[in-house]
Amino acid sequence: MAKKKPNKAKAAKGKAAAKKSARKVVKLARAKKPAKKANGNGLPKPSSKPYGQAGLALQGVRILDFTHVQSGPTCTQLLAYMGADVIKVERPGVGDITRGQLRDVPNADSLYFTMLNGSKRSITIDSKNAKGKEILERLIKTCDVLVENFAPGALDRMGLTWEYIHKTNPRMIVASVKGFGPGPYEDCKVYENVAQCAGGSASTTGFREGPPLVTGAQIGDSGTGLHLALGIVSALYQRIRTGRGQKVLAAMQDGVLNLARVKLRDQQRLAHGPLTEYSQYGEGIPFGVAVPRAGNDSGGGQPGWIVKCKGWESDPDAYLYFITQAPVWQAICDVIGEPTWKTDPEYATPKARLPKLKQIFARIEQFTMTMTKFEAMELFNKHDIPCGPILSMKEIAEEQSLRTTGTVVEVDHPTRGKYLTVGNPIKLSDSPADVRRSPLLGEHTEEILTKVLGYKLSEIAEIKNSGAITAPDKSKAAA
Ligand code: COA
């Protein structure tokens, strides 16, 4: 992969312009509530308000959101669900590229965009316009965190270097998603599947006989966004002690590797012998130098596999994941009708079973094919046998319990109508999730300029004329 040189001239120009406008900016103090009387630990007295009525976890935190596509927006959407005021900056007339990608409803923001940008406010600013830079400087002064996932060097080229930001607001945390951390690939652009491949997931996913596979779960993008959110919250916590911001970096390769850590565990185990829980061991196929793909083998010490259920011939999701957990082996034998396996030395111990897993799962499958995945789930769970139905996205979308917990939420959008989104997967007992629809492009521009940044209405007209918040007029450009 070729290295892209950062454009130093562009960056220097941006920096100089930003410094100049910084001097003009009025001082904007964030309204702060007086701190309640602290106890010996420096904490306020426990609130006497009922749980769920003491505000939201991240209330009072303001995020300057420069993210786009998926990884960064996942992070800032979660922070917004937790109560942060997320101000998404988008290019006038263009916006986040995903607004128009994979559109299902003509002229409406796509689900790609709407499902990743809920509960945020949108302001349009041309970050390369002089007036736009001035507005951004005010935002930097009034926000706690800047989050971005531009290609390497892009933020610097806007003049928003760490040095400039830190000087403008020493308390600001600057959080970035990049494809790679420092090293040979640090200047490369990266998308989801590149990260899955570079982070060790693809080489260990799929069937041994087939090519590497990427997973449907977006572990490179959404996974890294989650990592970044934890980094931001930790930096906010440290700032309470230090009073200063810091840089937070979540590289997609690192995030994927973190999620694939059991495979790095297995890589090291290989030096001490074959991986006995992989079905390849039972099949007598030798291991190579690297961790192989393991099909549907379970990653832990409890062997598992996917087995067919009733209707599998026509329903691609009529399957069950079945785990032969050692402590419930006796129950498994009774339920599937093989009681002699309980005492037969060929089957009675986990070690004895390892070379026979293929045959054992074939017998279990014979049994599960007589019932639906839901019937099988009910039956096995009565005996505490761990298993799970393979749920299609249709089944998940229709699952009432996920709606009840707020994990799947229906929201109403002014141009596209009702749509389903994933709500907050993390539940806090004292902080209800704030899940709202995504904003239209620039929907909150004037509101933020006046109410957050203190611009007067007369100044707004001037800003509009400068081209800082509106798309260039194409008819004028053509004339
Ligand atoms: N006003 C003016 N210009 C703006 C702007 C605004 N409000 N917002 C963005 N831009 C400009 C940037 O300054 C940049 O310009 P420059 O390259 O001339 O300096 C340009 O838009 C494009 O930004 P970039 O991030 O390079 O977008 P891209 O479409 O070329 O690349 C990615 C997309 C995702 C590959 C790249 O952003 C990336 O690698 N990001 C880090 C890893 C990541 O998050 N990947 C997963 C994405 S889900």
Side-chain angles (χ1 to χ4, degrees), residues 68 70-71 91 125 127-128 149 151 157-158 189-190 221:
H68 64 153
Q70 185 183 165
S71 63
R91 205 187 321 204
I125 305 176
S127 63
K128 289 166 184 161
N149 68 310
R157 290 198 289 277
M158 286 180 181
K189 287 183 178 178
V190 168
D221 280 338

Side-chain angles (χ1 to χ4, degrees), residues 322 328-339 342 363 367-368 371 376 379-385:
F322 190 97
V328 289
W329 177 245
Q330 311 264 327
I332 294 171
C333 298
D334 285 335
V335 176
I336 65 167
E338 293 291 347
K342 290 192 282 187
R363 174 66 188 96
F367 181 73
T368 55
M371 61 195 80
L379 174 66
F380 290 125
N381 270 290
K382 270 189 198 144
H383 300 274
D384 253 356
I385 299 166

Side-chain angles (χ1 to χ4, degrees), residues 4 7 10 66 68-74 89-92 95 97-98 112 116 123-129 136 148-158 176-180 187-192 195 218 220-222 224 250 252 468:
K4 192 176 163 189
N7 187 331
K10 268 188 185 180
F66 258 118
H68 64 153
V69 205
Q70 185 183 165
S71 63
T74 306
V89 178
E90 296 180 86
R91 205 187 321 204
I97 192 170
T98 60
Y112 194 0
L116 285 160
I123 181 171
T124 47
I125 305 176
D126 180 349
S127 63
K128 289 166 184 161
N129 171 296
L136 277 177
E148 63 94 20
N149 68 310
F150 289 126
L155 196 67
D156 286 1
R157 290 198 289 277
M158 286 180 181
S176 305
V177 168
K178 293 289 166 262
F180 294 93
D187 291 330
C188 299
K189 287 183 178 178
V190 168
Y191 281 104
E192 170 71 46
Q218 304 285 282
D221 280 338
S222 287
T224 308
M252 294 168 74

